[in-house]
Amino acid sequence: MCGIIGYTGDGRRQAAPILLRGLERLEYRGYDSAGLAIQTDRGLVTRKLAGRVGGLRSSVERLPLPGACGIAHTRWATHGAPTTCNAHPHVDCDERFALVHNGIIENADVLRAALERAGHTFRTETDTETLVHLIEDSPGDTLEVRVISALEHVVGTYGIAVMSADEPGKIVVARQGSPVLLGIGDDEYFVASDASAILEHTRSVVHLDDGDIAVLTTDGYHVIDRESHVQLREVNDVTWDLEAIELNGYAHFMQKEIAEQPETVRSTLRGRLMFEEGLARLNGLNLSPEDCAAIQHITIVGCGTSWHAGLVGRHIIEALAQIPVSVEYASEYRYRRQVTRPGTLVVAISQSGETADTLEAMRAARAAGSRVVGLVNVVGSTIAREADGGIYLHAGPEIGVASTKAFTSQIVALALLGLYLSSHHGLPLAERQELARRLSQLPGLVARTLELEPQVRVLAEHFAQAPNALYLGRGVNFPVALEGALKLKEISYIHAEGYPAAEMKHGPIALIDANMPVVFVAPADEVYSKVVSNMQEVRARGGRIIAITPEGNGDLGTLADHQLRIPATAPLLSSILSVIPLQLLAYHVAVLRGCDVDRPRNLAKSVTVE
Ligand code: F6R
């Protein structure tokens, strides 16, 4: 969703270039409009534009905005069209306050009506504008006192940064349900939606909790609660390098992140496999052997790609640990009546650790008495901090809006979880040792799978103009079919569906003709022969078949128009390899269609609103 950044310094540096660079780093969170406000000699000056940050940069380069304190925003529209007028920052009637916001103000209509009755003039259609008029309307000698007082009336989620023309060099930040962190530099302070925006200036960050108010000035910062009591918040070090958020010669972040998977899979595994014992070392889970033995049921919650990883995880955990697993869309789970059985472990999967529905599902599960663990990539994110324990993916920052390397690392983390639980639920030692060995081979096998890229690029040319595509798989590879279809539709805008292969006969087969590419994921497992029968059914109706199948499996050349051979691995782990050609296919089709791969239309990374 939206990205916010703010900067205040001692005057050695100008704010605008820092803010613009930060916005470019945050653009993956939203990219329909951008704006900034700077404290200048003439008071607060805002500049905003519909469209990408590049437009705003050109405008500021043409007509600079000098000043050492400012706030900026890149938007993913919720209330009001993505116009220049609706872009942030928003200002009050007299332009004494400027504010940027990520989140949704749920009672904006009621607040707006009351404020208009009190004489405030609104300029935009946004929910955010109510906040800045509320601050204008609120009593207080300092900006933070006004902000605290204004927020008493607000229902909804927000990460905000606010400035006042009367208090030069000061930025007040507040957090409720939307991510925001502080960056601590030398005589300069930052606020940002995530660390990528400020990493070139500082590695020291402070994660804020819900309810926190932070006050940044050129002399320092402090965090207070709604009663103005000072709160102590840890300063953490960001562990990854700037290189992780640079393209480094790749055309797109998605392409880079697909290519990084041998290393990211290795990172997820690093130090966690115990080969002799056939176990996984997962101290962060905070589950004692007694806790593990007591687990009767696992519920996995997540959204989108993370939900697909959960579906793969169900197969793996049930096979290894013999514990029944259900997988739920977080958005559905959170609003259902919670019927929690004793011994339920809830696993919340989220790359960003900030997805609103997953966070709320996790809170609902906790409130109903379940123990909750998180499988999260972003260190220090809200889900990671609120969970009772967890497994970090260590996949490094994922910038491409379409999730790729997080998916494979999520499956690896779920396999580690399965292995961890398996010994408490009776899986024989030899099988556990074999799985640990197979897991350790994955980085090399992922690297070999990536060698298919030239073949996939040629294949993409055949299918780039197809209006629809069908993805079919069974068992542990059915979620791969869903994921392949999701990747294609979100970045190339080709309509694609994923189905369990046998379900095809119950409806989708009606769609098949010579114009319909059908992607089969056909690993060497107990349902391979069934998948081959499904292929024959498609072939008989003239469908064009692309088969993803392991080396050593039967030759599908007579059935399939195109065959992509992936390395063989344990069937339970095959989805980690079989998804890679599908990620590459979506990527190359999107590039051939001229789509903006890293910023697909209407999407944004990290869905922090419901
Ligand atoms: C698809 C994609 C989304 C996310 C979903 C959950 O490529 O990226 O479907 O997987 O929004 O996000 P996280 O994992 O951050 O909770």
Side-chain angles (χ1 to χ4, degrees):
M1 299 288 117
C2 309
I4 64 176
I5 177 167
Y7 170 81
T8 183
D10 59 6
R12 276 174 302 168
R13 300 210 286 167
Q14 292 290 298
I18 295 170
L19 298 177
L20 285 166
R21 188 76 194 106
L23 284 187
E24 281 158 358
R25 299 267 191 217
L26 290 173
E27 208 173 11
Y28 72 99
R29 303 179 71 94
Y31 31 83
D32 60 45
S33 52
L36 48 66
I38 302 285
Q39 293 187 359
T40 70
D41 298 345
R42 297 176 285 129
L44 299 180
V45 178
T46 57
R47 183 85 52 83
K48 45 196 203 172
L49 278 179
R52 300 283 164 88
V53 176
L56 184 67
R57 174 179 279 288
S58 309
S59 159
V60 174
E61 281 169 0
R62 271 198 311 275
L63 192 59
L65 290 171
C69 179
I71 54 176
H73 187 272
T74 177
R75 181 168 185 245
W76 187 85
T78 56
H79 293 55
T83 58
T84 295
C85 173
N86 287 333
H88 300 215
H90 294 294
V91 293
D92 63 305
C93 299
D94 296 333
E95 303 189 19
R96 282 172 53 227
F97 303 99
L99 176 145
V100 290
H101 167 224
N102 173 22
I104 289 187
I105 306 306
E106 288 167 17
N107 60 341
D109 290 347
V110 179
L111 292 174
R112 182 175 180 136
L115 286 159
E116 281 176 338
R117 278 197 302 277
H120 291 262
T121 306
F122 279 68
R123 303 177 177 91
T124 78
E125 303 162 296
T126 66
D127 54 335
T128 302
E129 196 184 347
T130 54
L131 291 176
V132 75
H133 289 286
L134 265 181
I135 291 169
E136 178 184 28
D137 212 51
S138 294
D141 296 335
T142 62
L143 180 57
E144 56 272 30
V145 172
R146 279 177 181 270
V147 169
I148 290 172
S149 157
L151 292 177
E152 277 169 18
H153 304 282
V154 172
V155 179
T157 56
Y158 48 82
I160 56 170
V162 199
M163 299 187 304
S164 162
D166 302 331
E167 295 179 69
K170 182 187 273 189
I171 300 174
V172 172
V173 178
R175 177 195 158 129
Q176 183 66 45
S178 297
V180 64
L181 51 76
L182 310 182
I184 316 302
D186 292 333
D187 297 323
E188 53 182 8
Y189 300 90
F190 305 82
V191 47
S193 298
D194 67 55
S196 63
I198 55 173
L199 193 65
E200 52 207 273
H201 310 292
T202 179
R203 291 184 161 278
S204 302
V205 298
V206 174
H207 295 280
L208 297 182
D209 288 341
D210 280 351
D212 282 351
I213 311 288
V215 183
L216 278 58
T217 65
T218 48
D219 298 328
Y221 75 95
H222 61 277
V223 181
I224 53 178
D225 66 10
R226 300 290 165 82
E227 277 77 47
S228 297
H229 298 136
V230 173
Q231 304 295 300
L232 293 178
R233 296 280 173 260
E234 236 179 287
V235 180
N236 294 297
D237 250 12
V238 179
T239 50
W240 36 271
D241 294 322
L242 205 50
E243 203 175 79
I245 51 172
E246 304 278 7
L247 279 169
N248 293 329
Y250 287 94
H252 300 98
F253 281 106
M254 182 180 180
Q255 186 190 31
K256 177 181 177 225
E257 287 158 9
I258 292 172
E260 279 173 355
Q261 289 176 106
E263 198 39 51
T264 51
V265 164
R266 185 174 285 114
S267 292
T268 309
L269 290 170
R270 188 165 292 127
R272 287 170 164 168
L273 286 174
M274 298 159 75
F275 294 96
E276 289 275 296
E277 300 87 336
L279 284 177
R281 191 182 287 111
L282 296 172
N283 300 339
L285 275 180
N286 298 329
L287 291 176
S288 67
E290 296 72 42
D291 294 333
C292 291
I295 296 169
Q296 302 287 317
H297 181 256
I298 293 177
T299 300
I300 298 178
V301 293
C303 302
T305 291
S306 295
W307 181 75
H308 295 160
L311 293 176
V312 176
R314 169 166 66 192
H315 284 270
I316 298 177
I317 294 171
E318 287 186 344
L320 296 181
Q322 308 277 306
I323 301 172
V325 179
S326 51
V327 187
E328 308 244 10
Y329 286 114
S331 53
E332 293 292 317
Y333 176 89
R334 62 180 283 200
Y335 286 113
R336 266 219 325 277
R337 179 192 282 272
Q338 301 296 316
V339 189
T340 303
R341 284 172 260 170
T344 298
L345 177 73
V346 172
V347 180
I349 307 184
S350 175
Q351 187 286 128
S352 61
E354 302 290 352
T355 299
D357 283 320
T358 311
L359 179 59
E360 289 305 328
M362 178 179 128
R363 288 175 177 160
R366 161 92 63 52
S370 296
R371 193 184 190 98
V372 183
V373 297
L375 252 72
V376 171
N377 192 34
V378 177
V379 175
S381 55
T382 310
I383 293 176
R385 286 184 297 137
E386 287 196 15
D388 299 312
I391 308 175
Y392 274 125
L393 304 182
H394 297 308
E398 193 178 66
I399 309 282
V401 166
S403 184
T404 52
K405 63 178 180 176
F407 180 70
T408 43
S409 283
Q410 284 164 345
I411 299 172
V412 170
L414 286 158
L416 288 168
L417 178 62
L419 195 58
Y420 186 82
L421 297 174
S422 65
S423 68
H424 304 282
H425 293 265
L427 192 73
L429 175 66
E431 286 184 42
R432 290 191 272 121
Q433 287 172 326
E434 172 62 5
L435 193 87
R437 195 179 67 78
R438 294 294 203 136
L439 277 165
S440 72
Q441 293 172 340
L442 282 172
L445 298 181
V446 170
R448 279 189 42 217
T449 311
L450 286 166
E451 290 169 11
L452 287 169
E453 180 157 17
Q455 252 175 287
V456 178
R457 200 181 298 125
V458 173
L459 188 61
E461 282 166 21
H462 291 273
F463 295 101
Q465 301 315 324
N468 299 291
L470 200 56
Y471 286 69
L472 303 173
R474 295 180 81 132
V476 76
N477 279 289
F478 159 53
V480 172
L482 292 176
E483 177 62 6
L486 177 64
K487 288 293 90 105
L488 188 74
K489 68 184 132 191
E490 69 181 327
I491 59 167
S492 75
Y493 318 136
I494 293 176
H495 171 239
E497 299 281 352
Y499 263 90
E503 275 296 302
M504 180 188 67
K505 289 196 286 294
H506 300 282
I509 199 165
L511 296 170
I512 291 171
D513 61 17
N515 295 318
M516 175 68 100
V518 185
V519 179
F520 276 94
V521 187
D525 57 14
E526 73 277 9
V527 285
Y528 173 71
S529 59
K530 312 271 183 217
V531 177
V532 173
S533 307
N534 298 141
M535 254 185 232
Q536 261 148 354
E537 290 151 12
V538 171
R539 185 86 196 156
R541 284 153 186 89
R544 292 187 294 161
I545 297 176
I546 303 162
I548 317 287
T549 195
E551 292 157 355
N553 235 6
D555 186 2
L556 296 171
T558 51
L559 273 179
D561 300 77
H562 306 273
Q563 192 174 191
L564 295 168
R565 291 282 189 162
I566 57 174
T569 181
L572 220 44
L573 303 179
S574 59
S575 52
I576 295 164
L577 304 181
S578 57
V579 75
I580 290 172
L582 304 188
Q583 296 171 340
L584 289 168
L585 184 64
Y587 172 75
H588 285 292
V589 166
V591 170
L592 286 168
R593 289 166 69 92
C595 300
D596 189 344
V597 173
D598 284 336
R599 297 181 194 88
R601 71 180 176 215
N602 304 337
L603 284 172
K605 192 108 184 138
S606 191
V607 183
T608 52
V609 296
E610 275 189 56

